[in-house]
Amino acid sequence: MKVMYRSTRDNSLNLTASQAILKGLSEDGGLFVPDNLPPFDKSMEEFSRMDYQTIAYEVMKLLLGDFTEEELKSCIRNAYGSGFDTELLAPLHHVGNASYLELFHGPTIAFKDMALQILPHLLVTSARKNDVKDEIVILTATSGDTGKAAMEGFADVEGTRIVVFYPKGGVSKVQELQMVTQRGKNVKVVGIKGNFDEAQTGVKQIFSDRELEEKMQKQGFRFSSANSINIGRLVPQIVYYVYSYATLLKHGRISKGEKINIVVPTGNFGNILAACYAKNMGLPVSKLICASNENKVLFDFFETGVYDRKNREFKLTSSPSMDILISSNLERLIYHIAGNDDKRTKELMRALTDGGVYEITPQMREGLKDFCAGYATEEETAFEIRQVYNDASYITDTHTAVAGAVYRKYVNATGDKETKTVIASTASPYKFAKSVMSAIDPAYGGMDDFELIDELEKISNVKTPAAVESIRNAEVLHNNVCEVSQMKGAVIDFLK
């Protein structure tokens, strides 16, 4: 049977995968979830003999059941090709029992490429399958990486436009330059005077504006999303966890059936939720370790069962893609641990919207037993970068360092030194050169970003990625800045 998709806030809805991808977000504000997670129909040994593209097909066919074999293989072929800077799309770098899964070899040097290179193809195919003639308008809030990766995927794709909102002053210099220099006739980038949570909430409000939706449809536009709230983003992320396990098995670093731990630095919870889905489909996983920075709303949730984004300070850190207090994808997990209870999920999400806090039941907390959580301070993050560099001559970015620091704490707390562990390495250190180089040696602190990038190339022996070189002298094409209250108007102006 084909997997169908339901809203976390109304499970009477029954959509195909292509319909859910097209809509992005349900009209009731809920997120689409699969009505079941089918088990893998290939063994891990079989996966270990496949390349990334073949694994992608074998995994995604189970969840995108209304795509034909040729449609899905075409999407995969178009996504995972020449845009990556290494033959292995997601290579593993081993340091002791930990293996860093490098997810940053795509065109924007961040893990979002692994899903956002294929999403435009899934979306255009979905529109064709459902006889949609409207122009698809992608609305996206970004904490730094999604925006550029989405624009790179959608730029000049026929039948689409894309508007990206990012927190002005809340991303790294390289992240901002990557966005504001983006070319494409169908692209608009807007900095907002606020943080990521406000940008994300603003986008959700536009999606739920029925009057605006009707007005736009009369003009031939249909809204969709490239954020991880779109199930078309989440499904491709499952693939690289299967690929990482298959690679470890292929090279004899684990034995048949051996369980691994997976550590994921996360803010919006999508990347670790994909690992959770992989586990529930049959990936041998022991613990899913959720790593937070000083905006540790997820850590506190796993510790207490209380999600409280109200009674805490929002902090700007050296890992800005994790500077998030409203973790949208957690709603999907809440729905599952509530026994797929849409009414209960809706109540909790309303409590979050109205009061900024909710608490799950003891029974729901039982559903979190596969997870453990930790967080790293700014000092611990910098120490982790320096320690890994000194011990292994390997340089990680700030987000990956958060995960590494949390993994180190996990081992010290549990004594679990033997379980092989995959650490999701979510961005190239070149994207955060100032923070990375200052962590390695404070003497680098006085240099500008591109001087630091040149120094990073020297000490890492890794060539500066084309994604960084291309923005060194690129023309700034987007100077738009607005208040949060003006986001809707910015979208309307662009569509005019």
Side-chain angles (χ1 to χ4, degrees), residues 1 7 38 42 50 76 144 155 229 297 339 379 381 411 457 460 465 477 480:
M1 291 180 63
S7 167
K42 297 289 187 294
M50 299 176 186
I76 291 167
I229 57 176
V297 64
E379 292 76 15
T381 302
V411 170
E457 181 176 81
S460 68
L477 302 173
N480 310 290

PDB file of all heavy atoms in Angstrom, residues 1 7 38 42 50 76 144 155 229 297 339 379 381 411 457 460 465 477 480:
ATOM      1  N   MET A   1       0.834  -1.202   0.000  1.00  0.00           N
ATOM      2  CA  MET A   1       0.000   0.000   0.000  1.00  0.00           C
ATOM      3  C   MET A   1       0.866   1.248   0.000  1.00  0.00           C
ATOM      4  O   MET A   1       1.905   1.299   0.642  1.00  0.00           O
ATOM      5  CB  MET A   1      -0.911   0.014   1.235  1.00  0.00           C
ATOM      6  CG  MET A   1      -2.007  -1.041   1.214  1.00  0.00           C
ATOM      7  SD  MET A   1      -3.026  -0.952   2.702  1.00  0.00           S
ATOM      8  CE  MET A   1      -3.728   0.687   2.517  1.00  0.00           C
ATOM      9  N   SER A   7      -2.210  15.481   8.291  1.00  0.00           N
ATOM     10  CA  SER A   7      -1.771  16.639   9.059  1.00  0.00           C
ATOM     11  C   SER A   7      -1.661  16.259  10.525  1.00  0.00           C
ATOM     12  O   SER A   7      -2.481  15.508  11.051  1.00  0.00           O
ATOM     13  CB  SER A   7      -2.761  17.793   8.898  1.00  0.00           C
ATOM     14  OG  SER A   7      -2.516  18.805   9.866  1.00  0.00           O
ATOM     15  N   PRO A  38       7.111   2.440   6.438  1.00  0.00           N
ATOM     16  CA  PRO A  38       7.331   1.067   5.967  1.00  0.00           C
ATOM     17  C   PRO A  38       8.765   0.618   6.207  1.00  0.00           C
ATOM     18  O   PRO A  38       9.695   1.418   6.120  1.00  0.00           O
ATOM     19  CB  PRO A  38       7.038   1.175   4.465  1.00  0.00           C
ATOM     20  CG  PRO A  38       7.286   2.603   4.122  1.00  0.00           C
ATOM     21  CD  PRO A  38       6.886   3.383   5.336  1.00  0.00           C
ATOM     22  N   LYS A  42      15.261  -3.670   1.543  1.00  0.00           N
ATOM     23  CA  LYS A  42      16.608  -4.138   1.228  1.00  0.00           C
ATOM     24  C   LYS A  42      17.377  -4.272   2.542  1.00  0.00           C
ATOM     25  O   LYS A  42      17.169  -3.483   3.480  1.00  0.00           O
ATOM     26  CB  LYS A  42      17.338  -3.152   0.302  1.00  0.00           C
ATOM     27  CG  LYS A  42      16.696  -2.982  -1.070  1.00  0.00           C
ATOM     28  CD  LYS A  42      16.871  -4.231  -1.930  1.00  0.00           C
ATOM     29  CE  LYS A  42      16.380  -4.023  -3.356  1.00  0.00           C
ATOM     30  NZ  LYS A  42      14.908  -3.821  -3.430  1.00  0.00           N
ATOM     31  N   MET A  50      25.617  -0.516  -2.736  1.00  0.00           N
ATOM     32  CA  MET A  50      25.002   0.501  -3.596  1.00  0.00           C
ATOM     33  C   MET A  50      25.709   1.840  -3.448  1.00  0.00           C
ATOM     34  O   MET A  50      26.276   2.144  -2.400  1.00  0.00           O
ATOM     35  CB  MET A  50      23.520   0.684  -3.227  1.00  0.00           C
ATOM     36  CG  MET A  50      22.660  -0.547  -3.382  1.00  0.00           C
ATOM     37  SD  MET A  50      20.971  -0.212  -2.787  1.00  0.00           S
ATOM     38  CE  MET A  50      20.233  -1.848  -2.910  1.00  0.00           C
ATOM     39  N   ILE A  76      16.365  12.121  -8.792  1.00  0.00           N
ATOM     40  CA  ILE A  76      17.621  11.782  -8.120  1.00  0.00           C
ATOM     41  C   ILE A  76      18.807  12.052  -9.035  1.00  0.00           C
ATOM     42  O   ILE A  76      19.823  12.633  -8.620  1.00  0.00           O
ATOM     43  CB  ILE A  76      17.597  10.304  -7.674  1.00  0.00           C
ATOM     44  CG1 ILE A  76      16.581  10.119  -6.543  1.00  0.00           C
ATOM     45  CG2 ILE A  76      18.986   9.835  -7.238  1.00  0.00           C
ATOM     46  CD1 ILE A  76      16.243   8.677  -6.230  1.00  0.00           C
ATOM     47  N   GLY A 144      20.190  30.603   8.153  1.00  0.00           N
ATOM     48  CA  GLY A 144      21.493  30.806   7.539  1.00  0.00           C
ATOM     49  C   GLY A 144      21.801  29.924   6.352  1.00  0.00           C
ATOM     50  O   GLY A 144      22.378  30.366   5.363  1.00  0.00           O
ATOM     51  N   ALA A 155      16.683  28.591  -8.315  1.00  0.00           N
ATOM     52  CA  ALA A 155      17.006  29.728  -9.187  1.00  0.00           C
ATOM     53  C   ALA A 155      16.763  29.390 -10.650  1.00  0.00           C
ATOM     54  O   ALA A 155      17.296  28.409 -11.177  1.00  0.00           O
ATOM     55  CB  ALA A 155      18.457  30.145  -8.986  1.00  0.00           C
ATOM     56  N   ILE A 229       9.670  21.940   7.117  1.00  0.00           N
ATOM     57  CA  ILE A 229       8.260  21.647   7.342  1.00  0.00           C
ATOM     58  C   ILE A 229       7.678  20.932   6.125  1.00  0.00           C
ATOM     59  O   ILE A 229       6.655  20.262   6.226  1.00  0.00           O
ATOM     60  CB  ILE A 229       7.434  22.927   7.649  1.00  0.00           C
ATOM     61  CG1 ILE A 229       7.564  23.965   6.532  1.00  0.00           C
ATOM     62  CG2 ILE A 229       7.824  23.509   8.991  1.00  0.00           C
ATOM     63  CD1 ILE A 229       6.698  25.212   6.742  1.00  0.00           C
ATOM     64  N   VAL A 297      16.535  24.905  24.177  1.00  0.00           N
ATOM     65  CA  VAL A 297      15.130  24.599  24.425  1.00  0.00           C
ATOM     66  C   VAL A 297      14.846  23.113  24.215  1.00  0.00           C
ATOM     67  O   VAL A 297      14.035  22.513  24.935  1.00  0.00           O
ATOM     68  CB  VAL A 297      14.223  25.493  23.538  1.00  0.00           C
ATOM     69  CG1 VAL A 297      14.425  25.208  22.062  1.00  0.00           C
ATOM     70  CG2 VAL A 297      12.756  25.338  23.914  1.00  0.00           C
ATOM     71  N   GLY A 339       0.509   9.053  20.039  1.00  0.00           N
ATOM     72  CA  GLY A 339      -0.297   7.992  19.440  1.00  0.00           C
ATOM     73  C   GLY A 339      -1.047   8.468  18.221  1.00  0.00           C
ATOM     74  O   GLY A 339      -2.183   8.035  17.978  1.00  0.00           O
ATOM     75  N   GLU A 379      32.025  28.353  24.992  1.00  0.00           N
ATOM     76  CA  GLU A 379      33.393  27.971  25.367  1.00  0.00           C
ATOM     77  C   GLU A 379      33.660  26.514  25.028  1.00  0.00           C
ATOM     78  O   GLU A 379      34.743  26.158  24.525  1.00  0.00           O
ATOM     79  CB  GLU A 379      33.620  28.215  26.867  1.00  0.00           C
ATOM     80  CG  GLU A 379      33.621  29.680  27.279  1.00  0.00           C
ATOM     81  CD  GLU A 379      32.214  30.299  27.330  1.00  0.00           C
ATOM     82  OE1 GLU A 379      31.216  29.533  27.324  1.00  0.00           O
ATOM     83  OE2 GLU A 379      32.124  31.544  27.369  1.00  0.00           O
ATOM     84  N   THR A 381      32.171  24.749  22.732  1.00  0.00           N
ATOM     85  CA  THR A 381      32.205  24.613  21.283  1.00  0.00           C
ATOM     86  C   THR A 381      33.575  24.984  20.733  1.00  0.00           C
ATOM     87  O   THR A 381      34.152  24.269  19.903  1.00  0.00           O
ATOM     88  CB  THR A 381      31.116  25.498  20.642  1.00  0.00           C
ATOM     89  OG1 THR A 381      29.828  25.118  21.148  1.00  0.00           O
ATOM     90  CG2 THR A 381      31.112  25.362  19.127  1.00  0.00           C
ATOM     91  N   VAL A 411      29.686  10.396  26.260  1.00  0.00           N
ATOM     92  CA  VAL A 411      30.612   9.307  26.567  1.00  0.00           C
ATOM     93  C   VAL A 411      31.062   9.388  28.031  1.00  0.00           C
ATOM     94  O   VAL A 411      31.088   8.377  28.752  1.00  0.00           O
ATOM     95  CB  VAL A 411      31.828   9.332  25.616  1.00  0.00           C
ATOM     96  CG1 VAL A 411      32.903   8.353  26.085  1.00  0.00           C
ATOM     97  CG2 VAL A 411      31.399   9.000  24.194  1.00  0.00           C
ATOM     98  N   GLU A 457      42.659  27.606   4.581  1.00  0.00           N
ATOM     99  CA  GLU A 457      43.112  26.723   3.507  1.00  0.00           C
ATOM    100  C   GLU A 457      44.528  26.217   3.797  1.00  0.00           C
ATOM    101  O   GLU A 457      44.839  25.038   3.569  1.00  0.00           O
ATOM    102  CB  GLU A 457      43.076  27.456   2.167  1.00  0.00           C
ATOM    103  CG  GLU A 457      43.513  26.594   0.991  1.00  0.00           C
ATOM    104  CD  GLU A 457      43.369  27.317  -0.332  1.00  0.00           C
ATOM    105  OE1 GLU A 457      44.263  28.124  -0.665  1.00  0.00           O
ATOM    106  OE2 GLU A 457      42.367  27.068  -1.027  1.00  0.00           O
ATOM    107  N   SER A 460      44.437  23.652   6.908  1.00  0.00           N
ATOM    108  CA  SER A 460      43.596  22.464   6.736  1.00  0.00           C
ATOM    109  C   SER A 460      44.046  21.589   5.579  1.00  0.00           C
ATOM    110  O   SER A 460      43.683  20.411   5.506  1.00  0.00           O
ATOM    111  CB  SER A 460      42.137  22.873   6.508  1.00  0.00           C
ATOM    112  OG  SER A 460      41.986  23.531   5.257  1.00  0.00           O
ATOM    113  N   PRO A 465      36.418  26.034  -0.984  1.00  0.00           N
ATOM    114  CA  PRO A 465      35.347  25.603  -1.889  1.00  0.00           C
ATOM    115  C   PRO A 465      34.963  26.695  -2.893  1.00  0.00           C
ATOM    116  O   PRO A 465      35.045  27.895  -2.596  1.00  0.00           O
ATOM    117  CB  PRO A 465      34.178  25.308  -0.943  1.00  0.00           C
ATOM    118  CG  PRO A 465      34.801  25.106   0.401  1.00  0.00           C
ATOM    119  CD  PRO A 465      36.008  25.989   0.429  1.00  0.00           C
ATOM    120  N   LEU A 477      23.227  41.810  -4.855  1.00  0.00           N
ATOM    121  CA  LEU A 477      22.037  42.013  -5.693  1.00  0.00           C
ATOM    122  C   LEU A 477      20.767  42.228  -4.879  1.00  0.00           C
ATOM    123  O   LEU A 477      19.751  42.636  -5.432  1.00  0.00           O
ATOM    124  CB  LEU A 477      21.843  40.796  -6.616  1.00  0.00           C
ATOM    125  CG  LEU A 477      23.027  40.467  -7.542  1.00  0.00           C
ATOM    126  CD1 LEU A 477      22.782  39.156  -8.265  1.00  0.00           C
ATOM    127  CD2 LEU A 477      23.242  41.597  -8.539  1.00  0.00           C
ATOM    128  N   ASN A 480      17.341  44.231   0.390  1.00  0.00           N
ATOM    129  CA  ASN A 480      16.035  44.411   1.017  1.00  0.00           C
ATOM    130  C   ASN A 480      16.073  44.073   2.511  1.00  0.00           C
ATOM    131  O   ASN A 480      16.544  43.003   2.900  1.00  0.00           O
ATOM    132  CB  ASN A 480      15.009  43.501   0.337  1.00  0.00           C
ATOM    133  CG  ASN A 480      15.039  43.649  -1.170  1.00  0.00           C
ATOM    134  OD1 ASN A 480      14.640  44.658  -1.708  1.00  0.00           O
ATOM    135  ND2 ASN A 480      15.541  42.618  -1.861  1.00  0.00           N
TER     136      ASN A 480
END
